[in-house]
Amino acid sequence: MSETATSPDYETEYNNRARVPEHPGIIAGWASDAAAYREGAVCELGVSYGESARQYYDLFKPQAVRGNAIVMFIHGGYWQALDPSFFSHMARGLNQLGVPVAVAGYDLCPQVELGHIVWEMQQAAAALWRRFNLPVVAAGHSAGGHLSACLLATDWKNVGPDLPEKLVPAAYGISGLYNLKPLTETSINSALNLTMEAAERESPLFWPAPSPLLMDAVVGGAESEEYLKQSRRIVDVWGIEGVRTRYGEITGANHFTVLADLADPTSAMSRRLAELAGA
């Protein structure tokens, strides 16, 4: 059997910017759409949840609240790029459905280790709960999908004795990464500096499954086979262990266009997230 038949080319499978050459225009569009949404939105920008300059969230509020939870959106960028200012408009669909959305920032690799980013997102979710006394639905794209799954599987008593067991009752991963071990064989790891042991430790796929909570994993139908496998695997493994899981593919979407539905209140993605938030 040939080598290509036995092991995927992880560099090609996980290098989304190379797979989608038009990505600079898409990301520039995000920044433009996000700035336009901030102009007219009811929002609180730069709310600190920690000590560093990047530990903040932007809160976008609906005209009338219809849900019973806050959605925390966590951006992607392989834990080493971007910030909340590119993603403000990802709150539009949910805001129009009556759901408040916090777009969370975090420090980036290699300035901090990936495990520290997981801790930061736990602090952000805890800060939202302490402020509003509402559960947090974690939603994230790419690296943010990984962080959302980590929040779902967090033992909140280890984060703070005052925190409820089901602080995060549901997670919605969009093109998420749940097994980080393949990344150790790619150029992405030059900033992450993950050993195989650390990659396993930071992979929610290998954490105790957060049964009986809810986990949706959706992915673009035009994404690499490895990305499809990442979402299928978390749904299958956690589903067997009692998590209420759901898998979905966005037909024709690549790793960047898969996010477009979140800005649209009529999309299945926005409606499902609103449902998870009780709206």
Side-chain angles (χ1 to χ4, degrees):
M1 189 178 285
S2 71
E3 184 182 337
T4 52
T6 57
S7 61
D9 176 356
Y10 288 138
E11 183 66 35
T12 300
E13 289 284 301
Y14 285 99
N15 191 334
N16 291 304
R17 295 192 177 208
R19 289 181 67 84
V20 186
E22 66 273 23
H23 73 267
I26 298 172
I27 294 173
W30 289 347
S32 173
D33 290 347
Y37 189 62
R38 286 194 298 276
E39 284 295 311
V42 179
C43 57
E44 294 179 44
L45 303 178
V47 181
S48 174
Y49 68 82
E51 293 182 358
S52 84
R54 294 186 66 101
Q55 290 176 19
Y56 71 92
Y57 61 83
D58 295 336
L59 182 67
F60 296 89
K61 304 174 184 179
Q63 295 294 336
V65 175
R66 287 199 284 274
N68 54 16
I70 295 172
V71 169
M72 186 168 91
F73 177 81
I74 309 172
H75 70 80
Y78 270 137
W79 308 273
Q80 55 192 284
L82 304 176
D83 63 63
S85 71
F86 288 85
F87 301 97
S88 308
H89 60 303
M90 297 305 162
R92 182 196 296 130
L94 284 164
N95 282 172
Q96 291 188 22
L97 293 170
V99 179
V101 178
V103 182
Y106 50 87
D107 290 298
L108 302 178
C109 300
Q111 285 73 33
V112 298
E113 293 183 346
L114 195 149
H116 193 271
I117 298 174
V118 174
W119 175 83
E120 289 184 28
M121 289 295 90
Q122 290 168 335
Q123 300 306 307
L128 287 168
W129 186 84
R130 287 174 176 136
R131 179 178 174 189
F132 297 105
N133 199 29
L134 289 172
V136 176
V137 173
H141 173 239
S142 197
H146 158 266
L147 294 164
S148 297
C150 289
L151 292 182
L152 189 71
T154 290
D155 182 343
W156 291 101
K157 292 302 178 189
N158 287 338
V159 178
D162 61 316
L163 301 175
E165 184 182 345
K166 295 181 180 177
L167 193 155
V168 175
Y172 191 95
I174 306 165
S175 306
L177 296 135
Y178 310 108
N179 173 11
L180 307 187
K181 290 198 283 188
L183 298 183
T184 63
E185 300 180 36
T186 71
S187 60
I188 296 153
N189 200 38
S190 59
L192 306 182
N193 295 311
L194 288 172
T195 62
M196 189 63 80
E197 180 186 46
E200 182 168 332
R201 184 175 66 245
E202 304 302 343
S203 297
L205 182 69
F206 306 117
W207 292 16
S211 57
L213 305 180
L214 283 88
M215 173 77 197
D216 282 20
V218 301
V219 64
E223 298 201 58
S224 73
E225 188 53 44
E226 275 294 299
Y227 264 88
L228 296 172
K229 186 194 294 181
Q230 286 271 355
S231 289
R232 289 195 199 107
R233 185 109 187 269
I234 193 82
V235 163
D236 290 347
V237 171
W238 276 8
I240 289 168
E241 297 182 28
V243 181
R244 290 178 283 164
T245 57
R246 181 186 290 198
Y247 172 80
E249 287 182 25
I250 311 298
T251 305
N254 64 41
H255 190 71
F256 299 91
T257 58
V258 71
L259 265 183
D261 282 357
L262 206 48
D264 176 6
T266 68
S267 72
M269 183 179 287
S270 292
R271 292 199 311 270
R272 172 60 174 165
L273 258 171
E275 179 189 346
L276 292 175

